[in-house]
Amino acid sequence: MSIARFSPFELLLLKSRSQVDTATLLLLAWVLVHRQQVSEGQRRRRLAQVTAQFRHGHELGPVMSIAHSQDLRAIQLAAEVVRKECSNERSLSILYQAITVATDDGELSLNNHYILGFLADLLNVTPATFSTLFHELTGKPLQSAEDPSRDAYWQVHDPEYHARKARDAHAAEQKAKEAEERQRANKEQQQQKQQNKQRQQEEAHREKAKQQQAKQEQNKREQNKREQNKQQERRKRQEQTQQQERQRWQQEQKRQEEARRQQRERPSSPPDRNTRALAVLGLTPGANRADIRRAYRRMAQLHHPDRFYSGSEHQIALASTRFQRIKSAYDYLMQNT
């Protein structure tokens, strides 16, 4: 069987020649470690003296180590072994030994006051018997245990208690103030960060809106520029068209002038109305109806008054007169050809 499953005190019990002696040894060591102003060597020598007749068969060092570690499970196990195995006579002997090692210097520590009371209960010793035994061994009556929760206890046992308590309270208050200051500083820092972040977001939003507005204005300027270019192109095309029409009109005037000149150079017999109508359409005698239609369409496109809407009133009037002559010549020729 592996021994790794057992505690150090359980191993001592397994190896002990007398488990009751080993358990009693631990309880007495527990009392000794709560003696005040006693060295470790003195504790071990006193424990060796009290337990010289024990039959445990092992060193005292491991027992003292367990007692110093305040291993409550080991102490509980030792108490169970003692309670189970001890007779009334042995119980009184153990309590006698415990009182002896707890009061060698005439003083009973607060811890040992409670430990002795625990041992008396464990060993079924009545409070009256316990008090009588304590008085017989120490020559002093067993007083009630002092209450560490009362200020009077600390005024007697630790005069610096109130001063230390005030210092601790002041330190705690100072620490709380520092923590509050840090918390407030952190909160202000967080608020400042939040405000900075909000300002940055607002600035970014304004910058984005400004960029969008600038982009919209740029698009508007470009659109206006395109519209202006289109208008300029339309005016340019109109001017070119008007220039072409003026050139065609001038050419037609020259042609008509040439026809009139040729007519003047002919024999002076006056032309008839049919010849004059053909001359208005730019035709010569012998033209058929198809020639008359084509000539009319061409002359109407060139001299229609709507084409001179941007000209002066005089130009529009001349165009109207010319178009009326062309229309009259066309109607006459279509009726008499």
Side-chain angles (χ1 to χ4, degrees), residues 16-205:
S16 175
R17 296 176 184 175
S18 172
Q19 292 187 350
V20 175
D21 287 348
T22 299
T24 304
L25 188 67
L26 177 59
L27 295 176
L28 295 176
W30 184 34
V31 173
L32 277 169
V33 297
H34 287 93
R35 286 282 302 274
Q36 297 176 351
Q37 300 177 353
V38 178
S39 66
E40 185 63 20
Q42 291 173 333
R43 290 191 182 99
R44 292 198 181 194
R45 286 193 297 270
R46 190 70 179 96
L47 184 62
Q49 292 173 358
V50 174
T51 61
Q53 303 301 320
F54 283 16
R55 296 177 292 107
H56 48 77
H58 51 71
E59 298 293 332
L60 300 181
V63 177
M64 292 299 296
S65 298
I66 295 172
H68 276 293
S69 68
Q70 302 293 322
D71 188 348
L72 296 181
R73 293 182 60 184
I75 293 171
Q76 179 182 3
L77 178 58
E80 291 175 356
V81 171
V82 169
R83 184 185 185 110
K84 181 179 179 181
E85 300 294 337
C86 287
S87 61
N88 291 335
E89 182 179 356
R90 180 64 188 273
S91 297
L92 289 175
S93 175
I94 293 174
L95 186 58
Y96 177 91
Q97 292 171 323
I99 295 173
T100 300
V101 298
T103 60
D104 283 341
D105 57 356
E107 297 293 336
L108 180 64
S109 68
L110 180 63
N111 288 332
N112 277 335
H113 195 297
Y114 287 106
I115 291 174
L116 292 179
F118 165 75
L119 293 177
D121 290 339
L122 174 70
L123 299 170
N124 291 322
V125 177
T126 64
T129 303
F130 173 46
S131 297
T132 301
L133 183 61
F134 184 87
H135 189 270
E136 291 177 354
L137 290 174
T138 63
K140 299 178 181 179
L142 179 65
Q143 303 293 334
S144 300
E146 296 179 279
D147 187 357
S149 64
R150 298 176 63 85
D151 287 343
Y153 173 86
W154 296 105
Q155 288 175 1
V156 174
H157 295 276
D158 188 1
E160 294 294 326
Y161 170 75
H162 287 287
R164 186 170 61 252
K165 187 175 181 181
R167 288 194 299 269
D168 293 342
H170 178 71
E173 183 180 0
Q174 188 66 25
K175 187 175 180 180
K177 288 182 179 179
E178 292 176 355
E180 184 178 357
E181 289 292 335
R182 286 194 299 270
Q183 185 177 4
R184 183 166 57 251
N186 291 336
K187 186 176 180 180
E188 292 177 355
Q189 186 177 6
Q190 291 295 332
Q191 291 177 349
Q192 185 65 31
K193 288 182 179 179
Q194 186 67 23
Q195 292 175 358
N196 293 338
K197 184 178 180 180
Q198 186 175 359
R199 282 197 296 269
Q200 291 176 357
Q201 291 177 349
E202 292 176 354
E203 290 176 359
H205 181 71

Side-chain angles (χ1 to χ4, degrees), residues 288-295 297:
N288 57 26
R289 294 174 67 88
D291 294 334
I292 293 170
R293 288 193 186 92
R294 285 194 294 272
R297 292 194 188 98

